[in-house]
């Protein structure tokens, strides 16, 4: 097959990838989009395998087969609540692959380059491997944090910004050396750089608090794209460059959306350490919280829901942890059938991954036209009779709007307190990931329903079934 | 402890300080309740109902430890109170210094329900709001009674009826309640208040807010209204003259605590109204908002009915008694945290302290101030700085363009041709990605991540090409890379498909 034909097939598959992302504009077209992505990938694979030079068929087929089995099995078995973990783990695979491909490319001595071309190629190898290594180790740490096997609270080493900076400088110095020594020595510098990059990835993600996980996951998503792109430069493969750029910018945009949703600066999130200056909290005397909450029972909650005309459900990470989305849906169905207008309000950073709540609700078969984004629905809370908050805290904290001294000041929040009654379902009075106390709990129209979300929701469901 | 419920002796007072419902709750707190015979008869609660709720009917309740009353006690009533006992009632200490003295001399611990501090914790004790709510409702009912027409507009076979125009002055609890009641009867309601922040509350009750266009806020630290400047008052008079001449019904609720009610409606304004119109003056007890109001009476002047009743809550005696009784119960609940039927008069609690006007033989009124609504004034500057911030963000930075241009020049000058093509492809692809991804709907952000993750396994193409190398190590490394990326490839697409299959539209 000629080089030009391969290039055209690559172009076709790049277009299909763009179409695949375009499909995600709307849930109706999203599945077609995913299909385009698969076709694009199949075309790219076929063209590559067909292209002259591929000889090692047995190894390739074996690797593909084993990979396919593992991948499909994982995709089938994963629980929807564990999607963030799976995605984080997969990012690490791309990162590691980028490192391996980069190393192979460096070890390959058949192509002889000279002058500027050699320098540029070496720089590409170097950067590709570095981004890959950071993605790999960072994703693994993010995976551990999401899984809970690594503590979600930020690890704050003293002088951590200087540490990061000196590692970066170290990588740059090594890079300079790497370009100016012969091949065997350069390999040593390369390995030294990999070690530093791995450390950088670990340290960076360790310093980021659990509440910022959506940013971290989308940031690593972006890195995995840049790693692919750098590999494309290195191998002079336009398809890789294009796809890497698509993925990279997609992840970058997601990170920026998440940051905006939390009113945080991207650099601040990446530099880590959120949650350190929250302890001083609010010292403003008018904001000192009157420490009295009103508890409510499941039965009373059921009564309130039954008598309401309009109910808003605000899911948070607590719902995901308790796996309560199906019960929530059953409750909302019973209420809908009784003529209650039930809607869901989703905060952009609810959960541990962008759009996490939407996926959970979709899994429970909640029709997506009942699910609203914060911006669409915030105005409507004053017409809502009961707003029920399931395992969410910071995203409904009025201090973000009222209290300029609050660490989350300025973050847009769901204004649930404007509803006639708000009910917060919580395991205890502990504060959210941001470590900020929540004045919502002390409002007169707020009720607290303490206990495990699943158990309590089941009780509500039973009470509603008995009554309606 | 024994809680005594006397019959109200004030002329025309129909309310009573406890209903069977609140008595049941008091007994649950551990109190014994003694009710004077016939105490609730005017509120349609007979002695039998009290007995059923667990109270005792006792003809002389002087021996009680706690007295619950509605109206401030008369000297004769004070005579009957046991020294050292606690009295909870409306007192109006500012207007009744002599009464305070009497209570003090008798060593009564007096809690004035009208002096409960307005903080959110004390809302359930706020009897003024309870009564104001009822007064607002009743004001509309009284107005409807004297108004010769429907409230709601109708088109009937017998002709067209225009809706009644109601103008409410003062959007406190009473005003808001009046707005809500009049709206639900079908009237078109406009309202004004010196505190601009209540505009939203007016709208929420179905009324429209009439602005006086002078920049001055009339809210105070305590959440009540304050006196306005001369300039404001002038502007206000112009607005009122116009609104009142158009209105069929005017309900005024403007009160400034501890002062005579502001005279907002002049004789000329009354004359400008259509014959048959009605003014209900809820401030009549403090002299009235209208010059012509006669407190306690209904009169007709210039063809306009002026209602000056001072006992609107009492005219809805059962409802008032129920709400007021609940407020009293809540107060006792605050004082009796152990639920053992013994009250603890904790002068360190700001709510109890604020409401206590005489204590162990001393006058403790007025209490030190508690500030509440400081928030509103703070929020505004913050909002404006935020907007300014946004503007600077939106401005494109020329340096970015200059640096980008310089970088491109450098590449063009020194880089080999192959790199120039690569960078072209790269930057255009970034732009496409940028455009496309902004359009992705937020609910699909997770599928977006997993699909981009899946397609980033395109790196497999590189790994596949490398497997053909002669070098053993390259074969191993690239083979392993193929394995890793293919996990990602198949897993990524499969999990995306699984997620997307879950998104469905409602029927």
């Amino acid at each position: 097959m000629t080089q030009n034909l391969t290039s055209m097939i690559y172009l076709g598959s790049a277009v299909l990838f763009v179409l695949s992302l375009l499909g995600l504009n709307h849930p109706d077209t999203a599945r077609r989009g995913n299909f385009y992505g698969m076709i694009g990938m199949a075309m790219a694979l076929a063209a590559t395998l067909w292209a002259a030079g591929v000889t090692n068929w047995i190894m390739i087929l074996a690797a593909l087969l084993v990979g396919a089995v593992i991948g499909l099995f994982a995709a089938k078995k994963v629980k929807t609540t564990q999607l963030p973990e799976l995605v984080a783990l997969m990012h690490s695979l791309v990162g590691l692959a980028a490192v391996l491909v980069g190393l192979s490319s460096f070890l390959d001595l058949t192509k002889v380059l000279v002058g500027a071309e050699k320098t540029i190629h070496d720089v590409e190898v170097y950067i590709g491997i570095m981004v890959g290594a950071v993605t790999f180790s960072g994703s693994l740490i993010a995976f551990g944090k999401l899984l809970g096997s690594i503590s979600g609270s930020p690890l704050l080493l003293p002088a951590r910004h200087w540490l990061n900076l000196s590692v970066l400088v170290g990588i740059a110095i090594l890079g300079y050396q790497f370009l100016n020594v012969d091949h065997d020595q350069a390999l040593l510098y390369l390995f030294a750089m990999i070690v530093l990059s791995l450390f950088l990835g670990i340290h960076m993600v360790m310093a980021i608090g659990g509440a910022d996980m959506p940013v971290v996951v989308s940031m690593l998503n972006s890195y995995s794209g840049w790693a692919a792109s750098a590999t494309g430069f290195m191998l002079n493969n336009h398809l890789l460059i294009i796809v890497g750029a698509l993925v990279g910018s997609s992840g970058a945009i997601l990170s920026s959306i998440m940051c905006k949703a939390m009113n945080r600066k991207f650099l601040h999130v990446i530099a880590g350490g959120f949650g350190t200056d929250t302890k001083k909290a609010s010292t403003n005397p008018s904001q000192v919280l009157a420490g009295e909450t009103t508890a409510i029972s499941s039965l009373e909650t059921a009564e309130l829901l039954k008598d309401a005309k309009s109910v808003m459900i605000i899911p948070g990470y607590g719902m995901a942890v308790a796996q309560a989305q199906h019960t929530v849906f059953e409750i909302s169905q019973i209420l809908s059938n009784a003529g209650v207008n039930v809607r869901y309000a989703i905060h952009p950073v609810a959960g541990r991954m962008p759009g996490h709540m939407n996926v959970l609700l979709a899994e429970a078969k909640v029709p997506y036209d009942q699910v609203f984004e914060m911006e669409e629905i915030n105005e409507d809370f004053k017409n809502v009779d009961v707003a029920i908050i399931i395992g969410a805290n910071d995203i409904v904290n009025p201090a973000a709007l009222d209290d300029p001294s609050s660490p989350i000041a300025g973050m847009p929040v769901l204004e649930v307190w404007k509803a006639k009654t708000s009910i917060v379902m919580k395991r205890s009075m502990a504060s959210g990931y941001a470590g900020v106390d929540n004045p919502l709990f002390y409002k007169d129209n707020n009720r607290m329903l303490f206990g495990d979300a699943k158990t309590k929701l089941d009780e509500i469901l039973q009470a509603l079934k008995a009554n309606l | 402890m024994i809680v005594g419920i006397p019959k109200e002796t004030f002329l025309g007072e129909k309310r009573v300080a406890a209903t069977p419902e609140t008595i049941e709750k008091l007994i649950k707190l551990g109190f014994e309740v003694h009710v004077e015979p016939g105490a609730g008869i005017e509120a349609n609660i007979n002695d039998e109902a009290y007995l059923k709720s667990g109270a005792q009917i006792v003809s002389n309740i002087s021996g009680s430890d706690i007295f619950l009353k509605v109206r401030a006690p008369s000297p004769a009533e004070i005579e009957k109170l046991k020294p050292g006992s606690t009295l909870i009632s409306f007192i109006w200490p500012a207007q009744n210094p002599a009464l305070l003295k009497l209570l003090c001399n008798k060593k009564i611990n007096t809690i004035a329900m009208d002096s409960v501090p307005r903080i959110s914790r004390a809302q359930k004790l706020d009897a003024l709001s309870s009564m104001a709510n009822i007064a607002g409702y009743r004001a509309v009912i009284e107005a409807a009674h004297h108004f010769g027409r429907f409230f709601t507009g109708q088109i009937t076979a017998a002709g067209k009826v225009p809706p009644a125009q109601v103008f409410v002055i003062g959007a406190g609890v009473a005003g808001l309640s009046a707005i809500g009641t009049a709206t639900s009867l079908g009237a078109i309601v406009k309202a004004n208040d010196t505190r601009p922040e209540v505009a939203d509350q007016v709208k929420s009750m179905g009324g429209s807010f009439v602005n006086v266009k002078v920049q001055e806020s009339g809210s105070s630290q305590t959440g009540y209204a304050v006196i306005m400047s001369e300039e404001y008052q002038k502007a206000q008079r112009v607005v009122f003259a116009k609104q009142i001449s158009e209105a069929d019904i005017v309900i005024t609720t403007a009160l400034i605590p501890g002062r005579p009610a502001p005279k907002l409606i002049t004789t000329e304004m009354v004359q400008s109204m259509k014959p048959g119109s009605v003014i209900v003056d809820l401030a009549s007890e403090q002299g009235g908002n209208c010059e012509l109001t006669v407190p306690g009476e209904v009169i007709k002047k210039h063809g306009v009915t002026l209602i000056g009743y001072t006992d609107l809550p009492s005219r809805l005696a059962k409802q008032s008694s129920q709400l007021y009784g609940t407020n009293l119960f809540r107060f006792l609940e605050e004082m009796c945290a152990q639920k053992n039927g013994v009250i603890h008069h904790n002068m360190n609690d700001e709510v109890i302290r604020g409401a206590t006007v005489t204590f162990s033989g001393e006058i403790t009124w007025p209490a030190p101030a508690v500030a509440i609504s400081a928030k509103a004034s703070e929020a505004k500057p913050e909002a404006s700085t935020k907007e300014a911030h946004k503007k600077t963000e939106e401005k494109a930075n020329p340096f970015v363009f200059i640096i980008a241009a310089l970088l491109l020049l450098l590449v063009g000058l020194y880089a080999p041709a192959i790199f120039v093509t690569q960078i072209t492809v790269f930057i255009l692809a970034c732009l496409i990605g940028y455009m496309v991804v902004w359009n992705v709907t937020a609910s699909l952000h997770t599928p977006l991540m997993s699909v981009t993750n899946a397609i980033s396994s395109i790196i497999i193409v590189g790994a596949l090409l490398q497997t053909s190398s002669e070098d053993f190590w390259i074969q191993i490394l690239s083979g392993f890379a193929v394995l890793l990326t293919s996990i990602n490839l198949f897993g990524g697409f499969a999990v995306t498909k699984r997620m997307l299959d879950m998104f469905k539209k409602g029927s």
Side-chain angles (χ1 to χ4, degrees):
Chain A
M1 193 160 65
T2 66
Q3 182 64 41
N4 283 350
L5 188 55
T6 317
S7 293
M8 284 304 107
I9 295 179
Y10 281 171
L11 178 63
S13 79
V15 170
L16 281 170
F17 289 141
V18 173
L19 289 179
S20 141
L21 295 187
L22 263 180
L24 291 171
N25 282 352
H26 197 277
D28 286 343
T29 55
R31 256 174 296 175
R32 199 183 334 144
N34 192 39
F35 187 63
Y36 285 150
M38 293 187 209
I39 301 275
M41 189 59 79
M43 276 168 56
L45 277 183
T48 312
L49 288 176
W50 193 8
V54 171
T55 50
N56 215 333
W57 286 98
I58 297 173
M59 190 176 79
I60 290 174
L61 288 182
L64 277 178
L65 198 69
V66 173
V69 168
I70 298 176
L72 293 176
F73 183 77
K76 205 170 154 61
K77 283 288 151 195
V78 69
K79 288 193 197 124
T80 40
T81 45
Q82 290 169 336
L83 282 175
E85 286 97 312
L86 182 71
V87 171
L89 197 59
M90 286 185 162
H91 288 155
S92 78
L93 296 182
V94 177
L96 186 55
V99 173
L100 296 177
V101 172
L103 269 179
S104 306
S105 173
F106 181 73
L107 292 175
D108 186 359
L109 295 172
T110 51
K111 254 190 233 160
V112 184
L113 298 167
V114 284
E117 284 194 28
K118 179 179 186 304
T119 315
I120 287 186
H121 181 258
D122 284 347
V123 170
E124 285 165 355
V125 168
Y126 196 75
I127 292 178
I129 292 181
M130 180 194 126
V131 178
V134 170
T135 312
F136 172 62
S137 61
S139 300
L140 277 186
I141 298 299
F143 170 69
K145 282 203 167 195
L146 289 167
L147 203 64
S149 52
I150 299 176
S151 156
S153 57
L155 168 85
L156 300 171
L157 299 180
R160 60 182 189 283
H161 299 308
W162 291 114
L163 193 63
N164 280 341
L165 199 64
S166 47
V167 169
L168 278 175
V169 170
I171 288 177
I173 294 172
L174 283 177
Y176 183 76
Q177 301 285 337
F178 164 80
L179 291 176
N180 292 310
V181 293
D182 67 53
H183 193 268
D184 287 344
Q185 257 186 308
L187 194 62
L188 286 179
Y189 286 113
L190 206 54
F191 278 120
M193 181 274 282
I194 292 178
V195 171
L196 279 183
S197 301
L198 290 176
F199 170 78
L200 186 66
I202 293 172
H203 180 236
M204 201 164 63
V205 179
M206 282 304 282
I208 298 176
D212 286 338
M213 264 340 203
V215 183
V216 175
V217 175
S218 38
M219 177 188 85
L220 292 168
N221 182 240
S222 166
Y223 284 3
S224 70
W226 301 133
S229 213
T231 313
F233 274 96
M234 173 170 87
L235 300 174
N236 188 26
N237 185 313
H238 287 181
L239 182 61
L240 256 67
I241 298 181
I242 294 172
V243 173
L246 288 179
V247 175
S249 45
S250 151
I253 290 171
L254 278 182
S255 318
S256 135
I257 292 175
M258 294 302 115
C259 282
K260 209 169 270 173
M262 296 193 293
N263 194 36
R264 309 274 319 278
K265 286 263 163 53
F266 183 69
L267 263 181
H268 292 181
V269 175
I270 299 309
F274 186 47
T276 42
D277 49 356
T278 60
K279 302 268 157 17
K280 69 177 188 209
S282 106
T283 46
N284 186 339
S286 71
Q287 305 288 346
V288 168
L289 300 174
E292 197 183 330
T293 60
T294 319
I296 191 173
S297 71
S298 310
L299 286 180
E300 290 169 309
T301 308
E303 284 292 309
L304 270 176
L305 289 173
K306 186 165 66 82
D307 295 336
K309 281 203 194 72
S310 169
V311 169
M312 192 79 79
I313 299 174
I314 296 99
Y317 190 55
M319 183 187 84
V321 174
Q323 293 271 353
Q325 63 269 31
H326 295 282
T327 319
V328 171
F329 177 57
E330 273 190 75
I331 291 173
S332 76
Q333 245 189 341
I334 289 184
L335 291 173
S336 288
N337 291 341
V340 182
N341 177 18
V342 184
R343 290 173 295 175
Y344 295 80
I346 313 267
H347 192 280
V349 296
R352 290 291 173 269
M353 189 169 59
H356 194 184
M357 291 300 127
N358 297 87
V359 172
L360 291 183
L361 293 178
E363 187 209 7
K365 306 230 179 325
V366 174
Y368 60 76
D369 47 8
Q370 284 183 9
V371 182
F372 295 88
E373 308 304 324
M374 176 168 72
E375 281 170 13
E376 297 174 284
I377 206 76
N378 235 353
E379 292 286 301
D380 247 31
F381 272 107
K382 57 178 185 291
N383 304 321
V384 169
D385 295 314
V386 181
I388 178 159
I389 297 118
I390 306 167
N393 188 349
D394 297 330
I395 59 169
V396 292
N397 192 337
L401 303 181
D402 297 344
D403 181 1
S405 62
S406 166
I408 56 168
M411 161 173 161
V413 289
L414 286 161
E415 297 170 2
V416 294
W417 55 92
K418 291 195 175 149
K420 290 209 182 65
T421 311
S422 54
I423 300 172
V424 176
M425 300 188 64
K426 240 179 149 301
R427 265 170 302 187
S428 68
M429 279 304 287
S431 51
Y433 246 127
V436 189
D437 203 355
N438 193 337
L440 171 70
F441 303 159
Y442 310 110
K443 291 211 183 245
D444 283 308
N445 60 344
N446 184 63
R447 302 286 177 274
M448 303 297 295
L449 179 52
F450 290 115
D452 174 67
K454 182 83 167 70
T455 326
K456 290 291 159 187
L457 284 165
D458 279 333
E459 286 173 25
I460 295 173
L461 181 63
Q462 291 315 319
L464 283 174
K465 272 186 180 160
N467 268 319
L468 284 171
Chain B
M1 286 173 128
I2 299 172
V3 176
I5 316 290
K7 184 172 166 56
E8 295 295 318
T9 57
F10 189 87
L11 191 64
E13 181 56 69
K14 295 178 177 168
R15 290 169 292 178
V16 59
T19 64
E21 287 89 345
T22 67
I23 285 176
E24 268 175 35
K25 290 180 187 163
L26 287 173
I27 290 172
K28 270 192 201 147
L29 276 185
F31 294 108
E32 198 176 312
V33 184
H34 290 180
V35 182
E36 209 172 0
I41 213 76
E42 296 281 357
N44 296 320
I45 304 168
N46 56 28
D47 292 349
E48 233 162 80
Y50 280 128
L51 278 173
K52 231 185 241 167
S53 69
Q56 298 169 36
I57 305 294
V58 179
S59 51
N60 181 4
I61 59 164
S62 298
S64 311
D65 305 296
I66 302 160
F67 293 91
L68 302 184
K69 269 188 60 54
V70 181
R71 288 275 178 174
S74 64
E77 282 178 313
I78 295 179
E79 264 319 296
K80 289 192 207 155
L81 302 180
K82 186 169 85 175
S85 62
T86 300
L87 167 70
I88 310 182
S89 171
F90 281 115
I91 299 291
W92 302 111
Q95 285 88 340
N96 297 319
L99 176 70
L100 283 191
K101 201 108 207 215
L102 275 177
L103 287 164
C104 189
N105 291 343
K106 192 95 203 250
K107 298 256 186 311
I108 309 283
N109 299 332
T110 314
I111 289 168
M113 289 305 280
D114 45 81
S115 303
V116 170
R118 281 201 140 185
I119 59 176
S120 30
R121 177 161 74 90
Q123 271 183 16
K124 56 190 179 191
L125 323 171
D126 190 351
L128 286 182
S129 292
S130 309
M131 295 302 110
N133 179 14
I134 292 169
Y137 167 84
R138 186 71 193 192
V140 175
I141 302 301
E142 292 289 343
H145 178 63
H146 289 277
F147 183 55
R149 296 210 331 251
F150 284 148
F151 265 40
T152 180
Q154 291 185 2
I155 294 172
T156 73
K160 189 178 145 193
V161 180
Q165 304 278 343
V166 177
F167 183 53
V168 177
I169 299 173
V173 179
L176 290 173
S177 160
I179 293 167
T181 311
T183 312
S184 60
L185 282 175
I188 293 174
V189 186
K190 293 177 182 170
N192 170 267
D193 195 290
T194 54
R195 300 163 298 159
E197 66 264 25
V198 299
D200 279 344
Q201 298 170 18
V202 169
K203 280 179 204 140
S204 76
M205 300 301 292
S208 56
F209 190 76
V210 178
N211 244 326
V212 174
K213 286 202 174 63
V214 173
Q215 283 305 310
E216 185 175 351
S217 167
S219 26
S220 69
Q221 276 222 312
T222 54
Y224 285 109
V226 294
I227 299 180
M228 309 299 288
S229 73
E230 185 53 40
E231 188 198 358
Y232 181 90
Q233 288 183 15
K234 217 191 245 166
Q236 191 185 40
R237 271 196 294 275
V238 175
V239 172
F240 282 9
K242 179 168 181 297
Q243 293 299 332
I244 290 169
S245 69
E246 288 169 1
D248 296 310
I249 290 165
V250 175
I251 295 172
T252 72
T253 69
L255 276 176
I256 300 166
R259 289 180 176 272
K263 294 277 182 240
L264 300 171
I265 304 181
T266 58
T267 311
E268 294 85 65
M269 292 185 195
V270 177
Q271 281 165 344
S272 77
M273 293 179 81
K274 284 165 271 187
S277 302
V278 182
I279 297 177
V280 187
D281 195 337
L282 291 190
S284 66
E285 200 156 14
Q286 271 72 43
N289 291 133
C290 174
E291 286 181 351
L292 300 173
T293 304
V294 179
E297 292 189 22
V298 178
I299 57 163
K300 206 156 182 177
K301 281 258 171 88
H302 310 295
V304 176
T305 310
L306 288 140
I307 301 173
Y309 289 144
T310 55
D311 59 347
L312 287 168
S314 169
R315 285 169 181 263
L316 218 68
K318 188 154 192 182
Q319 189 68 68
S320 311
S321 304
Q322 176 57 32
L323 297 186
Y324 181 63
T326 306
N327 292 140
L328 290 173
F329 155 70
R330 291 288 177 198
F331 208 111
L332 283 174
E333 196 183 36
E334 287 280 306
M335 299 180 77
C336 173
Q338 264 116 48
K339 308 203 167 154
N340 54 1
V342 180
I343 56 167
H344 172 53
H345 205 126
N346 177 10
M347 289 295 268
N348 292 324
D349 181 299
E350 63 177 343
V351 173
I352 296 175
R353 170 64 192 94
T356 305
V357 292
T358 66
F359 187 66
S360 351
E362 271 175 57
I363 293 180
T364 55
W365 183 88
V370 191
I372 52 147
S373 72
K375 228 170 19 196
S377 51
E378 270 170 30
K380 270 178 208 155
E382 194 211 3
S384 57
T385 52
K386 208 190 269 169
E387 250 161 48
H389 185 62
K390 222 181 228 168
K391 264 177 206 152
T392 52
E393 254 181 5
E394 277 161 13
K395 247 187 247 168
N397 191 339
F399 288 109
V400 174
F401 283 103
I402 294 171
I403 292 173
L406 282 178
L407 280 176
L408 288 183
L409 269 180
L410 271 179
V411 170
L413 280 175
Y414 297 109
I418 194 166
F419 185 73
V420 174
T421 336
Q422 286 176 348
I423 202 91
T424 311
V425 170
F426 175 71
I427 288 176
L428 289 179
C430 281
L431 275 180
I432 292 178
Y434 184 84
M435 310 280 176
V436 170
V437 172
W438 271 118
N439 283 329
V440 171
T441 168
S443 60
L444 292 178
H445 278 163
T446 295
L448 171 67
M449 287 192 34
S450 86
V451 85
T452 51
N453 180 57
I455 65 175
S456 67
S457 22
I458 193 70
I459 225 171
I460 199 172
V461 168
L464 283 176
L465 291 172
Q466 288 171 338
T467 50
S468 323
S469 166
E470 304 289 311
D471 188 308
F472 173 74
W473 281 110
I474 295 181
Q475 284 188 13
I476 292 294
L477 288 176
S478 58
F480 192 46
V482 172
L483 174 70
L484 291 176
T485 42
S486 82
I487 294 177
N488 205 44
L489 194 162
F490 288 98
F493 279 118
V495 86
T496 314
K497 181 168 184 313
R498 198 181 134 195
M499 269 188 253
L500 290 174
D501 283 344
M502 298 184 309
F503 280 84
K504 65 151 196 173
K505 200 175 187 167
S507 45

